[in-house]
């Protein structure tokens, strides 16, 4: 039963990574840039809920909605102020350095406002745990909600991309920005929408992560953000199903590594597996090799 428990916990953690990885994979797939500030949006979402629920005593659902709205605005602002001026004229390296700068800016603002002390985060999940096999296997409410949220988000996002005009615009921009603009697609608006969706999902992922692991610091989103980026690369960056597969596999590998090998070596094992996968399949599990004309 312990193995099944570890497996379920791995799927739960991997579901959080998958939700975060969606932000990376969508931005890269559409704007062809890496938003390394994405992990810190998770932290911002967690702090908004902490202030709303623990500080102001508001209902958790309202706190989550405000957090998602705040992070959506934050994502659009980051894209408009930090990335858009550089996207057309500057090199990809300049955009990458800017993303790292935005990440440190958000972390230091959180340090100034909330301090470096760890905050005790109250779980927003009220679902009772499920006991199976006579109480030998217990599935927490946070695990149930996290896995369900990942499935719903993945299905909803896939339908949005395939069935809506905005989703079709995203596909067009991801294929060829110039051609999409000639066909009347608002490229800047589409990229801003991509940042908005990714940041909104990051807020939700932050709430789920902090509910499962009830602590919050200005650095809460740093390592999960990096691991989610690894998950996006693992599954094939630019692929939405790849983000889900990569995130879940990464979560399972991390939890099983902690349980059966070493809790201190778990992160090293995760990155080692990534290296092996990329050596065998450089584009990731579902990634496609794209040939560029010179």
């Amino acid at each position: 039963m312990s193995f099944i428990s570890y497996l379920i916990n791995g799927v739960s953690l991997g579901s959080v990574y998958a939700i975060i990885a969606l932000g990376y994979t969508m931005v890269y797939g559409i704007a062809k840039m890496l938003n390394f500030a994405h992990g810190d949006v998770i932290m911002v979402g967690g702090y908004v809920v902490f202030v709303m629920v623990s500080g102001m005593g508001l209902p958790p659902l309202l706190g989550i909605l405000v957090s998602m709205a705040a992070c959506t605005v934050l994502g659009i602002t980051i894209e408009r102020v930090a990335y858009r001026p550089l996207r057309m004229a500057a090199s990809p390296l300049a955009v990458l350095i800017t993303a790292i700068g935005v990440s440190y800016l958000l972390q230091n603002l959180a340090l100034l406002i909330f301090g470096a002390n760890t905050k005790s985060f109250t779980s927003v999940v009220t679902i009772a745990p499920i006991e199976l096999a006579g109480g030998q296997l217990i599935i927490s409410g946070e695990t149930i909600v996290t896995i369900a949220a990942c499935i719903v988000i993945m299905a909803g996002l896939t339908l949005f991309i395939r069935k809506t005009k905005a989703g079709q615009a995203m596909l067009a921009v991801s294929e060829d920005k110039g051609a999409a603009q000639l066909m009347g697609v608002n490229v800047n608006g589409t990229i801003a929408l991509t940042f908005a969706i990714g940041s909104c999902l990051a807020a939700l992922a932050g709430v789920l992560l902090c509910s499962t692991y009830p602590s919050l610091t200005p650095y809460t989103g740093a390592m999960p953000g990096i691991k989610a980026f690894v998950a996006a690369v693992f599954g094939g960056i630019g692929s939405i199903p790849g983000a889900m597969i990569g995130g879940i596999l990464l979560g399972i590998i991390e939890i099983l590594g902690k349980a059966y090998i070493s809790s201190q070596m778990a992160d090293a094992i995760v990155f080692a597996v990534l290296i092996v996968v990329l050596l065998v399949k450089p584009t990731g599990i579902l990634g496609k090799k794209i040939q560029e004309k010179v």
Side-chain angles (χ1 to χ4, degrees):
M1 283 298 174
S2 59
F3 175 77
I4 297 175
S5 178
Y6 293 142
L7 195 63
I8 293 171
N9 289 335
V11 173
S12 176
L13 179 60
S15 296
V16 174
Y17 290 156
I19 295 171
I20 303 169
L22 283 172
Y24 283 111
T25 204
M26 287 180 66
V27 168
Y28 181 82
I30 293 168
K32 297 298 183 288
M33 59 171 288
L34 297 173
N35 178 24
F36 276 115
H38 190 64
D40 297 287
V41 178
I42 302 166
M43 172 267 297
V44 172
Y47 270 115
V48 171
V49 173
F50 174 79
V51 170
M52 298 288 289
V53 177
S54 298
M56 302 173 64
L58 296 175
L61 180 59
L62 179 59
I64 293 171
L65 292 176
V66 172
S67 174
M68 294 172 70
C71 288
T72 298
V73 173
L74 177 62
I76 294 172
T77 304
I78 290 173
E79 189 278 330
R80 182 66 183 86
V81 175
Y83 299 145
R84 188 179 298 183
L86 298 174
R87 200 170 61 236
M88 300 302 295
S91 67
L93 181 60
V95 178
L96 180 62
I97 293 171
T98 301
I100 296 172
V102 173
S103 172
Y104 281 110
L105 174 64
L106 293 176
Q107 287 180 14
N108 282 276
L109 285 175
L111 277 171
L112 287 172
I113 296 170
F114 299 102
N117 293 332
T118 301
K119 308 294 184 185
S120 180
F121 191 93
T122 303
S123 175
V124 299
V125 178
T126 57
I127 296 176
I130 297 176
E131 295 186 5
L132 301 174
Q136 296 182 26
L137 179 62
I138 300 175
I139 304 175
S140 68
E142 287 81 7
T143 297
I144 298 168
V145 171
T146 301
I147 295 173
C150 180
I151 294 171
V152 171
I153 288 169
M154 201 64 60
L157 196 56
T158 301
L159 289 173
F160 174 79
I161 295 293
R162 292 180 179 178
K163 301 295 184 181
T164 67
K165 185 178 287 188
Q168 293 298 305
M170 288 180 177
L171 290 176
V173 172
S174 69
E175 289 292 331
D176 191 322
K177 292 187 183 67
Q181 193 164 17
L182 289 174
M183 295 300 293
V185 175
N186 184 346
V187 174
N188 286 332
T190 300
I191 293 175
L193 177 61
T194 304
F195 271 83
I197 294 173
S199 299
C200 180
L201 295 180
L204 181 59
V207 173
L208 294 171
L209 180 67
C210 292
S211 294
T212 305
Y213 305 95
S215 63
L216 183 61
T217 72
Y219 307 105
T220 290
M223 185 54 72
I226 293 173
K227 289 179 180 178
F229 173 68
V230 170
V233 176
F234 195 8
I237 193 162
S239 168
I240 291 177
M244 182 175 184
I245 293 172
I248 290 175
L249 287 177
L250 201 72
I252 292 173
I253 291 168
E254 180 177 341
I255 294 297
L256 292 181
K258 287 180 178 179
Y260 293 108
I261 301 177
S262 169
S263 60
Q264 297 177 341
M265 291 291 292
D267 291 344
I269 293 167
V270 165
F271 292 112
V273 169
L274 173 69
I275 293 170
V276 172
V277 170
L278 293 182
L279 287 173
V280 176
K281 198 173 189 301
T283 57
I285 296 173
L286 296 183
K288 296 180 181 178
K289 188 175 181 180
I290 299 174
Q291 294 182 352
E292 295 184 0
K293 294 181 180 180
V294 180

